[in-house]
């Protein structure tokens, strides 16, 4: 028997001006509260940039080991590698579809996330950038775990939105923090 909740529409994202406002607030806090004096670079770059570099390398390593390899192993499990693509079933198994979606999403998120981590960590604060980037990496690994275990669930039932939204806030805090910090330099 279906409940009233079964027909409930998922919550939609707030309008972009609301998100922009939150990102500006988070970025301003990160620039003013955690940033170095605008216009200065790390005094001890190797030390200050160690955690952001570790977060970036950890993401790349876990992506290769767990996301890329999972797609290949799943395709092997369903014997898709042993036949030409023209012979693949018209609908590949859901497990393969989910793992490919995970991999595509990681590829979509990684470039700008890694770039903004390095920008923020170099120009604002490597210490804060490293902590935020590590939180982002942990959220992305959690995203993979939750999404991977969502076979036979609707997208709305996966719960990944509860993980992706905080991950977006991590990245946009660093992105807007970099913008605010650069504006502080330009208008000083």
């Amino acid at each position: 028997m279906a409940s009233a909740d079964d027909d409930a529409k998922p919550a939609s994202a707030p309008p972009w001006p609301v998100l922009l406002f939150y990102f500006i607030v988070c970025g301003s806090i990160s620039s003013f509260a955690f940033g170095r004096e605008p216009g200065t670079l790390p005094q001890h770059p190797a030390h200050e940039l160690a955690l952001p570099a570790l977060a970036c390398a950890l993401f790349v390593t876990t992506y290769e080991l767990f996301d890329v390899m999972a797609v290949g192993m799943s395709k092997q499990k369903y014997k898709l590698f042993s036949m030409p693509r023209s012979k693949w079933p018209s609908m590949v198994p859901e497990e393969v579809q989910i793992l490919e979606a995970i991999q595509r999403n990681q590829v979509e998120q990684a470039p700008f996330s890694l770039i903004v981590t390095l920008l923020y960590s170099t120009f604002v604060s490597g210490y804060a950038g490293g902590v935020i980037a590590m939180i982002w990496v942990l959220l992305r690994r959690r995203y993979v775990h939750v999404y991977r275990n969502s076979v036979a669930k609707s997208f709305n039932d996966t719960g990944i939105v509860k993980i992706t939204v905080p991950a977006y806030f991590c990245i946009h805090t660093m992105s807007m923090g970099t913008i605010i910090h650069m504006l502080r330099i330009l208008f000083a």
Side-chain angles (χ1 to χ4, degrees):
M1 180 171 194
S3 71
D5 291 338
D6 292 340
D7 296 327
K9 293 182 180 176
S12 62
W16 72 264
V18 172
L19 289 174
L20 180 61
F21 172 76
Y22 284 124
F23 296 155
I24 290 171
V25 168
C26 292
S28 296
I29 291 169
S30 76
S31 172
F32 285 96
F34 304 113
R36 287 184 300 280
E37 181 67 30
T40 62
L41 294 173
Q43 287 187 328
H44 307 286
H47 189 265
E48 189 168 340
L49 299 176
L51 190 55
L54 179 63
C56 291
L58 198 59
F59 174 78
V60 170
T61 301
T62 57
Y63 164 75
E64 291 291 334
L65 285 175
F66 303 121
D67 305 337
V68 174
M69 298 298 286
V71 172
M73 290 188 308
S74 182
K75 286 179 178 177
Q76 209 167 26
K77 174 180 168 183
Y78 293 102
K79 301 183 183 350
L80 296 177
F81 285 146
S82 63
M83 61 181 87
R85 285 185 187 266
S86 61
K87 302 286 186 202
W88 282 17
S90 60
M91 181 66 98
V92 295
E94 184 181 17
E95 177 186 330
V96 174
Q97 292 178 38
I98 287 172
L99 292 172
E100 286 181 333
I102 290 168
Q103 184 183 11
R104 280 191 308 272
N105 193 260
Q106 295 286 60
V107 169
E108 172 189 304
Q109 298 293 316
F112 68 86
S113 301
L114 299 176
I115 289 168
V116 79
T117 295
L118 295 175
L119 287 172
Y120 181 90
S121 298
T122 302
F123 295 111
V124 182
S125 170
Y127 301 114
V131 170
I132 296 169
M134 281 301 238
I135 292 169
W136 178 80
V137 169
L138 292 173
L139 287 167
R140 293 308 299 177
R141 296 312 326 151
R142 180 76 182 139
Y143 159 86
V144 169
H145 174 76
V146 169
Y147 202 179
R148 187 179 281 177
N149 290 302
S150 70
V151 173
K153 292 182 183 178
S154 74
F155 184 81
N156 292 335
D157 291 335
T158 62
I160 63 172
V161 171
K162 295 174 186 172
I163 300 162
T164 56
V165 171
Y168 291 156
F169 269 84
C170 288
I171 296 309
H172 289 292
T173 294
M174 289 191 288
S175 179
M176 196 54 70
T178 302
I179 291 169
I180 299 294
H181 220 66
M182 296 302 102
L183 290 173
R184 290 175 64 196
I185 291 168
L186 291 173
F187 293 107

